[in-house]
Amino acid sequence: MKPGSLENTMPAFAKNEPLTESELDRLERFLDSCNSGNAMNIESVDGFFAALIAGPEIVMPGEYLPVVFGGDTSGTQMFESLDEANEILGLLMRHWNDIAGTLSRGDVHIPLLLEDENGVAHGNDWARGFIQGTRLCHDGWADLLNDDDHGGWMLPMLMLCYEHDEDPTMRPKPIDPQQREKIIDYMAAGLIAAYRYFRENGKPNAGTRGASPRNTNNKIGRNDPCPCGSGKKFKRCCGGATVH
């Protein structure tokens, strides 16, 4: 199947404004301070969302948002106000939709990577986030990994995920800077290849994964269901900090 033919089999996604640098910085600052620093960073979120969107099954917000925020959202008062909740959840959903729209068009999503003090992007957090996303749909991703013809697409993610693993048997051979750049390129290629694989192999629900878990054009009310999927009202869940 040619890349362009994906447009004929995948649903059209509404145009979505990619996050600006200042919005990414805002989201990163929130995540850094969330749940005593146990939330994912923006690089891990990007890899995590990429796996969820590309993968074989629908994963609901109530399952993946606690992973993003680093804990059980139903017991965590994460937001200082209703406005902050709408802001942060809106930013997350816009980023989700940006990745979903890119992949649905058959385009390559370039991993969002943080740089160290020397300006080097290592890609480990992205790969760890991606592999964490695959674990939420373990059986489906296992089918791909065990596919002799296509499983190799996941090797770049696995290499960077386990590069610094405590178990030396899990680590790849040392990666030099040139190799790292190639591995990161291969991760991006492997992502779009996985996305196509699941859609060409009869995964009936895969096409709906890119849908936003909530309508980001609407604001959350205190008495509305919490977008984390807990089933509780927002004021009794993630927005608990707004209730006195």
Side-chain angles (χ1 to χ4, degrees):
M1 180 183 290
K2 296 180 181 179
S5 63
L6 285 173
E7 297 176 1
N8 298 324
T9 59
M10 289 290 96
F13 290 94
K15 290 184 178 180
N16 188 71
E17 289 277 341
L19 298 188
T20 64
E21 288 295 327
S22 61
E23 288 172 328
L24 287 169
D25 289 342
R26 166 63 177 128
L27 186 54
E28 178 68 3
R29 288 195 304 273
F30 175 84
L31 292 171
D32 282 345
S33 65
C34 182
N35 202 9
S36 302
N38 291 319
M40 289 182 166
N41 63 23
I42 191 65
E43 178 177 323
S44 297
V45 169
D46 190 72
F48 185 59
F49 279 8
L52 295 178
I53 293 165
E57 300 171 20
I58 296 172
V59 179
M60 299 304 291
E63 189 174 357
Y64 70 73
L65 280 179
V67 181
V68 170
F69 293 129
D72 181 2
T73 56
S74 64
T76 304
Q77 297 179 348
M78 296 178 296
F79 305 111
E80 293 183 356
S81 68
L82 198 58
D83 286 341
E84 182 178 65
N86 278 303
E87 176 195 12
I88 297 301
L89 293 171
L91 291 176
L92 285 170
M93 292 308 101
R94 275 179 54 200
H95 192 60
W96 173 289
N97 288 339
D98 187 38
I99 299 171
T102 298
L103 295 177
S104 75
R105 293 190 299 271
D107 295 335
V108 173
H109 171 66
I110 304 301
L112 175 61
L113 305 182
L114 300 173
E115 296 180 347
D116 64 15
E117 62 276 8
N118 297 315
V120 177
H122 295 272
N124 302 108
D125 286 344
W126 195 95
R128 282 190 285 265
F130 184 93
I131 296 301
Q132 198 163 5
T134 67
R135 290 171 181 155
L136 297 187
C137 302
H138 177 269
D139 291 346
W141 284 97
D143 290 342
L144 172 56
L145 285 168
N146 293 327
D147 189 311
D148 291 338
D149 295 326
H150 307 295
W153 293 331
M154 296 298 98
L155 287 178
M157 291 78 153
L158 292 168
M159 289 176 69
L160 292 187
C161 178
Y162 294 106
E163 182 180 9
H164 306 294
D165 196 88
E166 293 181 358
D167 183 352
T169 64
M170 297 292 292
R171 299 176 205 153
K173 294 179 180 179
I175 301 171
D176 65 37
Q178 285 188 325
Q179 288 176 317
R180 187 174 303 278
E181 289 183 8
K182 289 182 179 179
I183 290 171
I184 291 171
D185 287 341
Y186 292 150
M187 281 201 313
L191 171 61
I192 187 63
Y195 182 89
R196 293 171 181 163
Y197 172 86
F198 288 121
R199 281 141 190 82
E200 292 171 2
N201 283 275
K203 300 298 182 181
N205 293 323
T208 64
R209 285 171 83 74
S212 171
R214 70 179 184 93
N215 184 348
T216 56
N217 293 322
N218 295 332
K219 300 295 184 181
I220 306 170
R222 291 176 64 193
N223 292 311
D224 290 339
C226 189
C228 78
S230 67
K232 299 180 181 180
K233 290 182 179 181
F234 176 73
K235 67 182 180 181
R236 300 297 182 191
C237 191
C238 297
T242 66
V243 180
H244 301 283

